[in-house]
Amino acid sequence: MKITLGVNGTRHEVDTAANRLLSDVLREDLGLTGTKVGCDTGHCGACVVLVDGVPAKSCCTLAVQADGAELRTVEGLSADGKLSSLQEGFQEHHATQCGFCTPGMLMSLTHLLEHDPNPDEASIRARLDGHLCRCTGYQNVVDATLYAAKKNASPVKMIVDSWGKRFYENQVRCLIAGDANRLVEENYLPDATVQSFDWTVTGHEALRAHFGNYMRWVKIIEVVSTDKFTETDNTVCFEATVRSNRGVVRVYDVMTLKDGKITYHFTGVK
Amino acid sequence: MSSAPFAYYAPETLDQALELLGSNSSVRVLAGGHQLVPVLARRELRADMLVDLRRVNALHGIRPTGDGVILGAMTRLQEIAQLPALVGSALSDAIEALGDHETRLQATIGGSVASLEAANDVLSALSVHGAAVECATPGGNETVGLETLLRDGLPKSAIIVAIRLPDAAPSTGSAHVRVRDPASLYPICAVSVSLRRDSKGRVKDPVVAVTGATEKTCRLSAAEEALDGQSFPPVLERPVLTANDCVSDHVSGAEYRALLGNELVRRAVSQAASRVAR
Amino acid sequence: MNGERTLGARMKRVEDPALLQGTATFSADLSLPGMVHMAILRSTEAHAEIRSIDTSKAVNMPGVLKVITSADIAGKIMPLPCIWIPGGAESHFPSHPFGVPGAGPVLATGRVRYVGDPVAVVVAETLQAAEDALEHIRVDYKSLPAVVTAEQALSADAPQLHDEVKGNLNALCTYGDKSAADSALENADVTVQLETLNQRTINSPLEPRVSLGEYIPETGEYVLRGTSQSPHDHRLLLALMVLGIPYNKLRVISPNIGGSFGTKGYLYADMPLVLWLAREIGRPVKWTDTRRGLMRSTVQGRDQHMKGWLCGDKSGRITGLKVESLANLGAYPSTIGPGVATAMVGRCVTSVYDIPAAYAEVKAVFTNVVPLGAQRGSGRAEATYLIERLIDLYARQIGLDPTEVRLKNMIRPEQMPFDNRMGWRYDSGDYPATFQRVRDLVGYDSIDAAKAEARSRGKYLGVSVTPFVAVSGVGPSPRMSKEGMLGGTWESANIKIHPTGEISVIIGSKPHGQGHETSFGQIVADELGVPLAMIEVLHSDTKRAPFGQGSYGSRSFSVGGAAVLQAAVAAKEKLIALAAHIFNVPATHVTFAQGKLYPNNEPARAKTVQEVALAMWYGWDLPHGMEPNLDVTTYFDPPDFNFPHGAQAAVVEVDEVTGQVDVRRFFGVHDVGVQGNAMIVEGQVHGGIAHGIGQALWEGAEYGADGQLVTRDLATYALPRATDLPRFTVETTITPTPNTALGAKGAGEIGTVGAAVAISNAVCDALAPLGVKHIEMPLRPEKICLAMQSAAQNSRSSERKS
């Protein structure tokens, strides 16, 4: 079968039998041997790659399932030989010994940091649950990830102007009012203000759907407290405790700036 | 390691998928694939044909209804766990605890319901949510209640279209707790509980399900009867599971599974009760 | 030198950029032009006669090039040899045509002896075609009764596995003084005893094994690329004892290895097969194992069924120790398995204690399971487990605090060097000091408050503090020959300074994750005062390296590093000699500092190491008798072993209902002598601890009574995961050993040796209030529940009696 795989930004046309695993096609057909295969039951995690941005075990995925997908593998993490913060953390903290499990861990942890720029030790360990490492005892992997989070946070300072501040206040107001449509219209539909902010928000539709669900499923009755509104380093986040039809819940979201681009991570309810 | 050869189709409509399903006796439906693909690759299971459902639009998406939500069969588990309305429920607990992160991101709700595994956190949790499974069969659509599904399995040649999840009634709390096998990450035993508190402060409509410990995922009527009508917070005095109800394998004996089951029922009940809004 | 020394510094590993970017080559990544693939048909029976093998269908399948069974290689590929036999004891082995101890045929001949025994192989154009063809080979087996445990194998009616080995007994080895130990036991106030199975474990490196064979007709040379922890050893054994080809016609190259922990130092059938087949077929032949293949064919570890008796007086003074152990060697002796399973247990049973009368005997026995090999800490971990469990039982029996009993019997620094009466001479170290430090770290004196707090949450909290010492640095060759090693155990190094200034260090040792390229480079950087970036460390290619050995028994840095230091010192001497000639001063008047040489007190005239080395390359003006070039090869054979030591402490909580164990905290103080890179040493310790915890709580190879491996993959064999482990707090002390040139001791296994018993003792301490005395590893919750229940029943029945 002819399939198309985007790998680390390059498009590949591959002719493969349907029964071949994604890991095999990456390693054998595309020569990307950085992805490792350590088991045959999907329990070691060495083969994890990102498929359309989502970690997947490439030994549990048929290559044909990834037809048309954009993949990221360990070979795509560094740019011009410059290690990513996470890779750098692995070296600083001696998080790789034999290095066989490392590529899978790097991919999962890259995904983690992109969605939770400031993870704590417990959430890093939880993320590593799908990865077996026989050399390190995991502690240095945790430390490497914490290092990367800190490094990502420190060098860029994000300035939230009065618009940004209004944006969040407005969001909380909308949540209270339960007016999803207004929220979406005022904040997410492209307009001059938003564009000037260089949003890289992907999938407006997804966000809108998410919010739609949010509003239908959690009716916010009142804000109990605004717990956090911080603009430290390159991250802005707010957290509020609200009383809803589902009891008292915390809503939060996070926005990060990296390489001059703002990424918006809607994370919903804790 | 490679599976024996098979034909592969990724149809775009449900009708095409059903037609393919009926066209061959050794055909398997592929959803997320993280469970099926390695089994095929190890040649423990063979298929002449795989029908991949990823392109069938009708199976994707989450649609709220007036009194609940319809989860398209191809919805990834992690997405479901994060639905605001489900946070702090048995289903969300079950998803957050099962397997590992990659599995939760890739596995679909439909695939989980149709799973090959006897220990199935998702089925257990869905049963206390009062879910129903919408199936497409060559003879038309069919909605199967979870209880029927647990008893009889899926209708023949059916493709799961969606899971219907009703809104929880007011003053209801649910929870799912588990102890995992450290190797497979499947539950040695897992228990789901849902409870409602009526206006008199008594337990109404308790539902308790167990998986992993028993041969199949099943309801625990002994626990449900014992809980019904108790005043809050409910307490289970007597064991509701015995070794006779449980399976024994190299991971664990039936006695221990029963012990674990009884303790997990207590813990799940207490967790669910604490979630009932006051 | 000024400022920080390079040796020991926490320098970033030079290996990492390639590993982190996916560009480092592992064996499975290799591909050669024209390469074909081999697949192995493994026995599905634990013990059976092979009546017939029908390959006719397989051989005609598309893409299949060759199908062979033992008949095709008879007289062409010899059986594998065993080269570490139990020393000083009568021993029996399967035969080998060259008169060396045999380790079984490369392909099962007439009989299969374990599930996984190689029976036939297919070579095909693609791996898929080879796997497809395997399914069409028909083997007609006649099942024979199987034995799974050593005890069963020794029983009178047990099936005989090898004609040459009567009663399945490979050897009975004894250590220490039997009559002294018996007499101590007879006359003791208090005796405690324990029978325990130190369960069989599966090492489980993340990378399954690979062998890629190539034959070059032009030179008549064979090249084996693959996962070899000891490429030089494999070269010798394969050339001399298996293929019968000249040593210089076999080259072994071992790329990056994805973990080994002992397993990849062994010879396996696939190695000679790919080489022989490559010549037969005229194309390179590659074999890549799977996880399930690994589980049933790569050597496994531990499996010592031990009985121990410890005696002493009521004041806590230990007077005697006796140990009997049955070592389950599996179906065939592995390359060095019998030696590891005997001496490394028997000589280690007294651990860090001064025990006046001690005796150990180990019976090595064949059974129908996977051959036994080394697993990180092998022998020492089993011995340490036994003595430390016994001491806890003893302390409890006499009502003393176990840490007090330990300190009372511990070898004191002023007793060094200490003859442990079992055959080891401990080199150096302050055992009580590391023990006390860990005892303080864990807050031993205030642990009762923590226990009470845990009870309020429905948990039983337990603590342990356990010391250990681990013989390392294999080894002094003359001594190892007495221990039954059929080969030298020295190590080598070569240093070259290129005319352009870069320095190559070529070592005989072989890393598999330990960062040799960094820490061995640090030795040279430190000694010659040049930046690490100027130094490349090469290894793992027998054609490039001088004669060498490999890595096993925590020997790489302590023994191989010593060879590197010797080479650096020799290089330095030669540089000074030439500098003295250039500056026209006596050698004693040359200062060597920070990579520069100059006449004393005249730093302005300094020449760099590279400049002086270049002068050697030109050779235009050398002192009389000096050869051109800086190219030094040295070999180091240690005068004795070295003995890293330390102590660890664990705090665990056990759930009172479910029996789930939660390792809350783990502390360790380790002394590995002089370190090459403190960060790497710490990493080794972390990983070692995780192995020990894994064995204590989860790991265990399980075989059915029929010899079928139940724990056959990573879905059935549990390894520690990130959420299972706590943060480790580790410190080191540095007591150099006099037995290596660097003063370095082994570091690779030290974390594992005490960790399993640290957890076991802590769990038993947690449950002591219930009357639980001992629970076997792995400490699975189910087992703990049963122990809690039976302890509760015992206490109820004793209440009724009183």
Side-chain angles (χ1 to χ4, degrees):
Chain A
M1 289 182 65
K2 287 210 168 63
I3 59 170
T4 308
L5 300 175
V7 188
N8 303 323
T10 309
R11 216 177 123 93
H12 299 271
E13 309 277 336
V14 183
D15 194 1
T16 177
N19 62 345
R20 292 185 65 223
L21 302 173
L22 179 60
S23 50
D24 289 340
V25 167
L26 285 171
R27 289 175 50 80
E28 293 162 14
D29 298 27
L30 303 182
L32 296 168
T33 54
T35 298
K36 301 300 178 202
V37 178
C39 74
D40 33 29
T41 51
H43 282 80
C44 84
C47 69
V48 168
V49 299
L50 302 186
V51 178
D52 286 331
V54 179
K57 297 171 190 174
S58 61
C59 83
C60 300
T61 307
L62 297 172
V64 288
Q65 283 181 281
D67 184 15
E70 284 296 326
L71 311 182
R72 279 175 77 193
T73 68
V74 67
E75 287 92 345
L77 289 180
S78 58
D80 301 325
K82 191 183 175 309
L83 301 181
S84 73
S85 310
L86 184 64
Q87 288 170 313
E88 199 181 297
F90 266 60
Q91 190 177 20
E92 289 288 338
H93 286 273
H94 186 29
T96 183
Q97 288 190 26
C98 80
F100 199 81
C101 70
T102 307
M105 286 193 175
L106 285 171
M107 298 322 292
S108 273
L109 293 170
T110 295
H111 177 261
L112 171 70
L113 290 170
E114 283 172 359
H115 289 77
D116 181 3
N118 201 12
D120 60 9
E121 172 152 359
S123 53
I124 296 167
R125 283 188 187 264
R127 181 59 71 105
L128 289 172
D129 235 14
H131 298 267
L132 289 169
C133 171
R134 204 55 173 152
C135 295
T136 64
Y138 305 102
Q139 181 163 323
N140 287 348
V141 181
V142 171
D143 290 345
T145 314
L146 293 170
Y147 168 97
K150 202 169 160 199
K151 175 132 200 270
N152 287 345
S154 54
V156 235
K157 178 83 182 162
M158 183 160 116
I159 299 150
V160 174
D161 62 7
S162 54
W163 182 89
K165 178 108 174 142
R166 265 202 329 275
F167 168 82
Y168 280 99
E169 286 166 353
N170 190 33
Q171 185 163 334
V172 174
R173 263 203 316 279
C174 292
L175 290 173
I176 298 166
D179 187 348
N181 292 333
R182 199 177 124 221
L183 180 72
V184 170
E185 278 160 25
E186 289 186 10
N187 292 311
Y188 294 104
L189 293 182
D191 64 37
T193 326
V194 171
Q195 277 160 4
S196 72
F197 234 65
D198 189 19
W199 288 100
T200 57
V201 174
T202 50
H204 285 255
E205 287 307 308
L207 261 176
R208 199 207 300 240
H210 204 147
F211 258 83
N213 283 323
Y214 189 96
M215 301 318 297
R216 283 184 185 91
W217 285 83
V218 180
K219 191 170 189 178
I220 294 174
I221 300 158
E222 63 172 332
V223 174
V224 178
S225 60
T226 304
D227 302 331
K228 203 155 128 194
F229 185 93
T230 53
E231 40 174 309
T232 52
D233 299 328
N234 70 331
T235 305
V236 169
C237 59
F238 88 79
E239 281 189 39
T241 305
V242 299
R243 205 151 68 75
S244 74
N245 61 333
R246 301 283 158 177
V248 176
V249 295
R250 298 188 94 194
V251 293
Y252 73 110
D253 71 59
V254 182
M255 188 163 74
T256 55
L257 179 72
K258 196 186 168 194
D259 302 331
K261 282 188 173 178
I262 294 167
T263 311
Y264 181 92
H265 308 283
F266 181 77
T267 18
V269 175
K270 255 184 186 169
Chain B
M1 202 185 60
S2 55
S3 56
F6 48 73
Y8 168 89
Y9 296 95
E12 291 186 358
T13 70
L14 205 46
D15 287 343
Q16 289 165 355
L18 281 171
E19 195 175 318
L20 286 163
L21 203 56
S23 69
N24 189 305
S25 59
S26 168
V27 55
R28 289 266 164 188
V29 171
L30 183 65
H34 267 39
Q35 190 173 70
L36 182 62
V37 170
V39 176
L40 290 169
R42 292 196 305 268
R43 303 191 176 200
E44 286 172 355
L45 192 75
R46 281 168 196 267
D48 292 340
M49 184 197 290
L50 286 196
V51 179
D52 186 347
L53 301 179
R54 69 193 164 93
R55 289 194 177 128
V56 181
N57 276 336
L59 306 179
H60 288 267
I62 301 172
R63 294 186 305 281
T65 59
D67 53 357
V69 66
I70 295 173
L71 306 168
M74 290 296 281
T75 312
R76 311 276 161 171
L77 293 182
Q78 190 69 40
E79 254 180 273
I80 296 169
Q82 283 169 345
L83 286 176
L86 287 177
V87 170
S89 72
L91 184 56
S92 171
D93 291 351
I95 292 170
E96 296 285 4
L98 71 83
D100 51 47
H101 196 77
E102 287 74 25
T103 304
R104 298 192 286 272
L105 286 167
Q106 296 298 331
T108 63
I109 187 83
S112 302
V113 169
S115 164
L116 311 160
E117 301 291 341
N120 192 326
D121 294 278
V122 168
L123 265 191
S124 168
L126 285 176
S127 76
V128 307
H129 279 265
V133 178
E134 215 179 279
C135 299
T137 68
N141 279 17
E142 223 179 282
T143 300
V144 185
L146 243 286
E147 255 178 290
T148 315
L149 181 89
L150 292 180
R151 194 184 57 232
D152 304 336
L154 280 174
K156 217 169 148 49
S157 302
I159 291 175
I160 297 175
V161 176
I163 310 299
R164 290 176 166 272
L165 212 54
D167 267 347
S171 297
T172 300
S174 66
H176 178 89
V177 293
R178 81 193 305 249
V179 169
R180 73 181 186 184
D181 165 24
S184 68
L185 306 185
Y186 281 108
I188 296 174
C189 177
V191 171
S192 314
V193 166
S194 167
L195 301 169
R196 183 161 73 85
R197 192 172 64 171
D198 71 8
S199 55
K200 294 175 197 140
R202 292 185 192 284
V203 174
K204 281 291 271 184
D205 309 329
V207 188
V208 182
V210 63
T211 193
T214 46
E215 204 157 318
K216 279 167 45 176
T217 305
C218 63
R219 294 268 293 265
L220 274 180
S221 53
E224 293 170 359
E225 281 158 22
L227 289 166
D228 199 18
Q230 279 199 38
S231 55
F232 263 75
V235 183
L236 279 173
E237 306 261 328
R238 276 198 298 273
V240 291
L241 206 60
T242 70
N244 286 338
D245 305 322
C246 295
V247 290
S248 212
D249 56 24
H250 92 278
V251 175
S252 186
E255 291 279 351
Y256 182 65
R257 280 199 162 93
L259 177 148
L260 213 50
N262 285 308
E263 178 64 15
L264 295 187
V265 170
R266 278 189 285 276
R267 290 181 189 180
V269 164
S270 136
Q271 171 87 318
S274 76
R275 284 171 171 172
V276 174
R278 275 145 228 279
Chain C
M1 300 286 295
N2 69 348
E4 303 269 302
R5 289 190 64 178
T6 315
L7 188 69
R10 301 176 72 90
M11 300 183 88
K12 288 192 286 189
R13 294 203 324 172
V14 301
E15 292 88 341
D16 289 1
L19 292 170
L20 293 168
Q21 296 175 92
T23 53
T25 302
F26 290 75
S27 295
D29 307 339
L30 295 172
S31 180
L32 294 176
M35 187 172 84
V36 294
H37 295 267
M38 180 176 97
I40 302 178
L41 182 73
R42 295 189 179 280
S43 170
T44 52
E45 299 267 325
H47 194 195
E49 188 189 312
I50 300 174
R51 282 185 175 137
S52 65
I53 306 175
D54 179 1
T55 60
S56 57
K57 192 162 177 203
V59 84
N60 290 317
M61 296 206 25
V64 171
L65 299 167
K66 205 168 184 68
V67 181
I68 61 168
T69 66
S70 76
D72 301 293
I73 57 167
K76 295 171 184 156
I77 303 179
M78 301 304 137
L80 302 177
C82 172
I83 56 145
W84 191 3
I85 63 175
E90 182 184 324
S91 56
H92 304 275
F93 289 86
S95 59
H96 190 288
F98 297 168
V100 296
V106 162
L107 289 174
T109 311
R111 202 157 20 142
V112 291
R113 294 181 176 84
Y114 68 99
V115 174
D117 213 350
V119 173
V121 302
V122 174
V123 182
E125 294 285 350
T126 65
L127 182 57
Q128 166 112 35
E131 286 176 347
D132 289 346
L134 276 193
E135 297 187 329
H136 292 93
I137 299 176
R138 295 279 163 265
V139 185
D140 182 12
Y141 292 113
K142 182 191 168 202
S143 294
L144 298 170
V147 281
V148 172
T149 68
E151 207 168 20
Q152 287 167 4
L154 289 178
S155 72
D157 56 350
Q160 299 296 291
L161 301 197
H162 302 281
D163 297 341
E164 307 88 337
V165 185
K166 201 169 161 241
N168 301 320
L169 181 66
N170 165 250
L172 164 61
C173 305
T174 64
Y175 310 92
D177 186 338
K178 183 169 195 297
S179 62
D182 282 337
S183 136
L185 284 165
E186 259 168 49
N187 299 316
D189 296 342
V190 183
T191 303
V192 290
Q193 67 160 342
L194 179 68
E195 179 173 352
T196 179
L197 175 68
N198 205 289
Q199 83 273 23
R200 181 171 273 251
T201 52
I202 302 179
N203 252 322
S204 308
L206 262 287
E207 176 203 36
R209 293 189 319 99
V210 175
S211 289
L212 167 54
E214 183 189 10
Y215 177 72
I216 304 167
E218 185 186 359
T219 56
E221 189 184 38
Y222 293 82
V223 184
L224 176 68
R225 292 170 176 84
T227 47
S228 168
Q229 190 182 316
S230 303
H232 299 272
D233 290 346
H234 284 155
R235 178 191 189 190
L236 176 68
L237 302 181
L238 287 168
L240 178 69
M241 299 181 189
V242 186
L243 292 170
I245 57 172
Y247 184 64
N248 60 330
K249 293 300 179 192
L250 176 59
R251 176 181 182 182
V252 179
I253 302 172
S254 180
N256 287 290
I257 287 190
S260 176
F261 315 110
T263 55
K264 292 170 182 166
Y266 291 76
L267 277 180
Y268 295 94
D270 42 273
M271 296 171 174
L273 282 170
V274 294
L275 290 169
W276 187 80
L277 285 164
R279 183 174 182 172
E280 286 288 303
I281 294 169
R283 294 166 70 179
V285 177
K286 184 180 184 182
W287 170 78
T288 310
D289 206 358
T290 61
R291 177 59 50 181
R292 283 194 171 178
L294 180 157
M295 305 295 276
R296 66 199 162 125
S297 64
T298 296
V299 293
Q300 302 180 345
R302 310 278 189 265
D303 211 343
Q304 297 271 342
H305 184 168
M306 308 177 93
K307 286 182 196 163
W309 295 264
L310 180 92
C311 62
D313 62 23
K314 286 180 179 152
S315 77
R317 179 67 213 163
I318 299 170
T319 54
L321 171 70
K322 185 175 168 179
V323 175
E324 292 173 1
S325 190
L326 297 179
N328 183 347
L329 293 184
Y332 302 96
S334 62
T335 317
I336 59 168
V340 171
T342 50
M344 299 301 269
V345 177
R347 297 197 193 285
C348 297
V349 293
T350 56
S351 188
V352 297
Y353 304 104
D354 180 358
I355 301 179
Y359 172 72
E361 62 176 53
V362 183
K363 280 182 188 161
V365 182
F366 294 115
T367 65
N368 293 112
V369 299
V370 172
L372 187 75
Q375 159 138 19
R376 200 172 200 169
S378 45
R380 295 142 292 179
E382 296 94 303
T384 306
Y385 177 86
L386 184 67
I387 181 92
E388 295 303 333
R389 283 300 304 127
L390 282 168
I391 292 182
D392 264 15
L393 294 172
Y394 170 54
R396 197 194 288 193
Q397 179 110 344
I398 57 176
L400 288 181
D401 181 274
T403 62
E404 196 183 309
V405 173
R406 287 189 167 90
L407 279 169
K408 190 164 195 157
N409 294 282
M410 206 172 284
I411 297 159
R412 297 181 309 280
E414 63 270 22
Q415 291 177 280
M416 294 293 176
F418 181 85
D419 177 350
N420 84 338
R421 303 181 183 90
M422 307 299 283
W424 301 141
R425 193 176 136 95
Y426 297 159
D427 49 3
S428 61
D430 189 340
Y431 298 175
T434 51
F435 184 77
Q436 289 278 21
R437 175 64 187 148
V438 173
R439 196 181 176 281
D440 292 345
L441 281 173
V442 76
Y444 192 81
D445 291 328
S446 55
I447 207 73
D448 284 345
K451 287 185 176 184
E453 186 278 330
R455 282 306 298 134
S456 71
R457 292 182 283 112
K459 309 282 182 192
Y460 291 105
L461 182 141
V463 67
S464 69
V465 187
T466 50
F468 49 85
V469 59
V471 60
S472 292
V474 175
S477 301
R479 168 65 194 272
M480 283 306 291
S481 80
K482 294 199 180 71
E483 293 289 348
M485 179 70 84
L486 308 177
T489 44
W490 38 262
E491 201 45 271
S492 65
N494 169 269
I495 294 181
K496 284 183 180 68
I497 302 186
H498 301 288
T500 43
E502 300 85 2
I503 300 174
S504 291
V505 181
I506 312 169
I507 58 174
S509 182
K510 158 75 193 165
H512 35 97
Q514 304 95 326
H516 288 26
E517 290 171 28
T518 308
S519 48
F520 283 57
Q522 285 179 258
I523 299 171
V524 177
D526 191 72
E527 196 59 27
L528 298 185
V530 296
L532 190 58
M534 291 291 287
I535 300 169
E536 62 169 353
V537 176
L538 306 172
H539 49 79
S540 310
D541 179 348
T542 57
K543 200 161 187 177
R544 188 157 62 187
F547 294 142
Q549 302 285 338
S551 58
Y552 46 89
S554 296
R555 70 191 299 276
S556 275
F557 194 75
S558 62
V559 180
V564 171
L565 178 69
Q566 282 185 173
V569 167
K572 198 171 167 180
E573 275 169 15
K574 189 169 180 182
L575 288 164
I576 289 173
L578 180 56
H581 177 74
I582 293 168
F583 298 130
N584 199 19
V585 297
T588 49
H589 288 212
V590 174
T591 300
F592 191 123
Q594 291 172 277
K596 289 183 178 147
L597 300 102
Y598 50 87
N600 292 354
N601 306 316
E602 291 184 73
R605 295 176 64 193
K607 289 191 177 296
T608 64
V609 162
Q610 280 82 5
E611 283 173 307
V612 178
L614 182 61
M616 282 183 209
W617 190 83
Y618 281 113
W620 290 342
D621 181 17
L622 300 179
H624 181 69
M626 180 180 279
E627 293 174 359
N629 274 318
L630 204 141
D631 184 353
V632 189
T633 299
T634 57
Y635 295 87
F636 178 76
D637 200 343
D640 202 344
F641 300 100
N642 59 72
F643 295 87
H645 70 93
Q648 293 170 338
V651 177
V652 304
E653 283 185 8
V654 181
D655 186 286
E656 63 179 4
V657 181
T658 65
Q660 299 280 326
V661 178
D662 185 7
V663 181
R664 305 290 296 176
R665 290 185 296 161
F666 200 98
F667 300 90
V669 177
H670 300 77
D671 193 324
V672 300
V674 173
Q675 303 177 9
N677 180 320
M679 186 168 75
I680 289 177
V681 168
E682 202 173 275
Q684 289 296 308
V685 167
H686 283 180
I689 292 171
H691 271 235
I693 297 177
Q695 187 189 2
L697 294 179
W698 305 286
E699 294 183 43
E702 291 169 33
Y703 287 89
D706 55 357
Q708 293 292 335
L709 180 62
V710 177
T711 49
R712 59 184 182 157
D713 51 27
L714 294 180
T716 44
Y717 186 88
L719 295 173
R721 288 176 184 271
T723 48
D724 297 326
L725 297 176
R727 190 162 264 279
F728 311 134
T729 306
V730 297
E731 296 179 359
T732 55
T733 58
I734 296 177
T735 315
T737 175
N739 297 339
T740 68
L742 270 167
K745 303 179 181 182
E749 300 171 276
I750 188 76
T752 307
V753 168
V757 72
I759 298 296
S760 292
N761 279 357
V763 168
C764 291
D765 178 61
L767 302 179
L770 298 172
V772 171
K773 284 191 176 146
H774 176 75
I775 309 176
E776 288 280 88
M777 296 191 295
L779 295 159
R780 300 234 178 93
E782 180 174 21
K783 224 184 276 177
I784 289 173
C785 268
L786 285 174
M788 290 196 290
Q789 284 165 359
S790 76
Q793 272 161 15
N794 287 344
S795 79
R796 270 197 300 275
S797 64
S798 63
E799 270 165 32
R800 276 198 296 274
K801 276 179 207 147
S802 57

